[in-house]
Amino acid sequence: MILRGRPFFLLWICLGLGFLFSRVAVSQIQLGSRISVGENNYWVSSNGDFTVKFYNRSNGHSAGIHFNSLSVPPSGQTVVWIAGGDLTVGEGSYFELTKKGELVLFDSLVGAIAWTSQSANSSVTSAVLRDNGNLVLLNRQNDIVWQSFDTPSDTLLPGQNLSSSQTLRAASGNSVSSYYSLRLNKLGQLQLKWESDIVYWTSGSHSESFLRAVLSPDGALQLLDQNSKSVWSVYGDDHNESDVKYRILRLDVDGNLRLYSWIEAARSWRSGWHAVSDQCNVFATCGLNGLCLYNSSGSAVCKCPFTLTSDVNAKCLVPYQHNCRSGSSMFAYNHTFLYGVYPPNETIVHSSLLQCKNLCQENPLCTASTFTNDGSGQCRLKQTRYISGYLDDSVSSTSFVKRCSDPLAVLPVSPKPPPPSAKNSQQKQSHKFCIPCLIGATGGTIGTFLIFQIGVAIWFYFIRNSFRPKAASAYSGPLPKSFSMFPYLEIREIAEDFKHQVGPMTFKGMLHNKLPVVVIALNATLEERKFRSAALVLGSIHHKNLVKLEGYCCESGHRYMVYEFSKTKTLLKCLEDPKMCTRLTWRKRMNICISVAKTISYLHSGCREFVSHGNLNCETVLLDDCLEVKVIEYGLGCLEASIDGGCAEMDVRDFGKIVLTLIGGLEHQDSVECTYKHWSESQFDRIVDKRMGSGVDTDELERSLRLTFWCLQVDERMRPSMGEVLNVLESALGVDSPPPPFAARTPQPKELEEPSESNSAA
Ligand SMILES: *[C@@H]1O[C@H](CO)[C@@H](O)[C@H](O)[C@H]1NC(C)=O
Ligand SMILES: *[C@@H]1O[C@H](CO)[C@@H](O)[C@H](O)[C@H]1NC(C)=O
Ligand SMILES: *[C@@H]1O[C@H](CO)[C@@H](O)[C@H](O)[C@H]1NC(C)=O
Ligand SMILES: *[C@@H]1O[C@H](CO)[C@@H](O)[C@H](O)[C@H]1NC(C)=O
Ligand SMILES: *[C@@H]1O[C@H](CO)[C@@H](O)[C@H](O)[C@H]1NC(C)=O
Ligand SMILES: *[C@@H]1O[C@H](CO)[C@@H](O)[C@H](O)[C@H]1NC(C)=O
Ligand SMILES: *[C@@H]1O[C@H](CO)[C@@H](O)[C@H](O)[C@H]1NC(C)=O
């Protein structure tokens, strides 16, 4: 509390009395100061404009620099910087300026450091949140040792430099980093990119000389050369207007770059300039949720014209899968331009409109085509089911989308499905998720589709884009800052000479920043290129239920993965432990199933490319003290086994085993046939783990068992997808009675289209 006199007095008035009751450090931050989740304390700049505090996000809490809530209400966008990029931490976490002069974000849920400023050895003596929103660490000579301005998040404040080594990355709505970034390229132009290689906006000017981008205090975005002379600039429409209190440049979630001004009178942000004038021209701005179009009031909205579900959050997939049983037909969409995402490449040929349709229809791999009709006579053939695009009367393109003639497998979900029970089976029918029908519809296509998906992943990392020549030289996607490649010597150091073995080929250790980790040794003969690319993919995955990959080692004769260490027990250990077992009530066990299903479903379809777990079992599913799920060793099984298909079905089978173990305890895990027999004779008491006590929900039990037997089908084509599994567990879909899991049988579409009658009462 260094401030005295007038500024201090003003601050009182500014921040009100609430201040009195919370522990607050003002402007100058003393070594040892700390702010914590849930304690509502913060650090504030001397002008009162900025605060450092925690805030709630959908998947946890983040520490960041905000506009003071008295200046910009919390309903407006207030965050200008987040510690660790896009990091979130759990309850009870704190952000501290340690006695050693290091900023540390400690995740109490995990019991480990999530991020640090790595300034412990730099003789930091003080820290200040400056009036311009820059959090700086200073040494005794008042030199800046570290500043938040050097690690921007999605926002640039006036006076902050964006040099060629820095990136603005859009915030993300979920647990994966955003694909959108802003950087200076080698020619000194600002570029907006999607993923690592699709450029959808480039600023003017180029010059080989050293450049940096800044937002001037009067509201211009400028490129300055080494003499601070402007070589390129854009001005907001309210540039130089004095009644604007704050200005920021932000790369928004929708992928557009905008200059914002805070209009005090309206108490809101106003955009005075945006980089991409037609929002629909931002690559994949609708993500997987459809095509971009303008509604009658002129807002860009996302719609999926070719699927039948009305759920706006549903993925927009071309309703055609390779290997369609009953043939396919092409549907025309006028004034529509389509492009593929995941992967974005396509084949371009010259043809007529009619040929463009026929070429796609005749090619079993083609899912959609677009005839540009702009005089170029180009027909763009796409093979991916993940398609985006735009739709407007001014667009001259016509697109064709292939649709299987098979009947629809999954019925749209009704908002309130009644719990499935024998009594209202009539009503149940309409909500039934009929897996046999699905199999009738998709048959053996899943495997083919998976091979295709894996192809997509491989394509992403190895193969250069065929129609966009700007191939990235190396992977430069949104890797977390802390993800590292370790030389073998460092691995030995981290693993403390492999002294503390905690499992087969698994060692406990510690990174240099004191972050405890687990080092796992892998088969040293794994092909280097494959291993590296897999490590990079796995390192870019973030999910609260996945144990984070901190780094890897890939040297001749050495292959290691380094994971964060969390205080957890394997599910197997938990089920063996009688004390723990009583804590694992029916509800808890079902929640564990749902968490695991969510996590695996995320790996399968929520990541930028398909990732399978490959080794899902009671030892790779961990539980922390709060019985929250953490999944480890994802993506490794397939690497070792070099499987070229069926990875998802394998995960589904393994998931089924886990559910069965959770329901029946450890004794039942190897006797699927016995359990099936008991289930078909409604002898539930012989199935359920006695240690759970009462509280077993019989409807839920029936549903979970049916689902499990579907997951354990010998014919892997009959197994549901992880997304469907999740829907059934969450009661969004019903599930039919399964055939015996141990009998491989070829589904006959006729027979399977009729949902079989439930033969076991709940
Ligand atoms: C943030 O989350 C905590 C608990 O996680 C809750 O108590 C608090 O009310 C939330 N704050 C806001 C502003 O939503
Ligand atoms: C800090 O200094 C100590 C002792 O000299 C050294 O062991 C450590 O590796 C250094 N840490 C960093 C981050 O440089
Ligand atoms: C921005 O870059 C210029 C030129 O290198 C430098 O003088 C200035 O201190 C930088 N500003 C900040 C906040 O780092
Ligand atoms: C900004 O406004 C001031 C007067 O308010 C004027 O003198 C100055 O030339 C203006 N600058 C620009 C770049 O328009
Ligand atoms: C257009 O979309 C915007 C944003 O989603 C919405 O607020 C507005 O109501 C929509 N207008 C019409 C006419 O649907
Ligand atoms: C699309 O355009 C064709 C040719 O102009 C026209 O015959 C057809 O009716 C249009 N379809 C729709 C749905 O507007
Ligand atoms: C996309 O690129 C990959 C690799 O170059 C190629 O194998 C594949 O056929 C391409 N897809 C299309 C539709 O051109």
Side-chain angles (χ1 to χ4, degrees), residues 130 132 134 136 144 147 149-150 158-163 166 210 212-214 224-226 228:
R130 293 201 162 149
N132 59 0
N134 192 8
V136 298
I144 293 175
Q147 56 178 348
F149 270 16
D150 285 343
Q160 183 172 4
N161 295 328
L162 185 78
S163 62
Q166 286 150 349
F210 168 81
R212 63 197 160 101
V214 292
L224 303 181
D225 66 12
Q226 62 265 60
S228 293

Side-chain angles (χ1 to χ4, degrees), residues 321-372:
Q321 310 198 338
H322 307 157
N323 254 18
C324 205
R325 275 166 179 257
S326 340
S328 61
S329 33
M330 300 298 288
F331 285 72
Y333 296 86
N334 292 348
H335 306 298
T336 304
F337 181 88
L338 300 180
Y339 54 84
V341 272
Y342 315 104
N345 70 332
E346 44 194 13
T347 310
I348 304 179
V349 297
H350 285 265
S351 76
S352 68
L353 178 73
L354 190 64
Q355 279 168 342
C356 193
K357 174 181 163 187
N358 293 342
L359 279 173
C360 186
Q361 177 140 37
E362 286 156 13
N363 178 353
L365 292 178
C366 182
T367 52
S369 64
T370 291
F371 184 72
T372 48

Side-chain angles (χ1 to χ4, degrees), residues 378-391:
Q378 281 186 347
C379 172
R380 295 162 168 265
L381 300 163
K382 299 148 236 297
Q383 298 190 352
T384 170
R385 289 181 70 213
Y386 295 103
I387 278 175
S388 192
Y390 40 88
L391 200 162

Side-chain angles (χ1 to χ4, degrees), residues 9 24 134 187 194 200-201 218 305 343 384 525 572 632 733 739:
F9 176 64
V24 176
N134 192 8
L187 297 174
W194 181 86
Y200 58 92
W201 177 79
D218 65 358
T384 170
T525 60
L572 184 70
I632 197 166
L733 294 171

Side-chain angles (χ1 to χ4, degrees), residues 218 235 239-240:
D218 65 358
Y235 300 93
H239 141 262
N240 211 12

Side-chain angles (χ1 to χ4, degrees), residues 37-38 55-56 61 91:
V37 171
Y55 72 109
N56 286 359
H61 305 267
E91 298 300 325

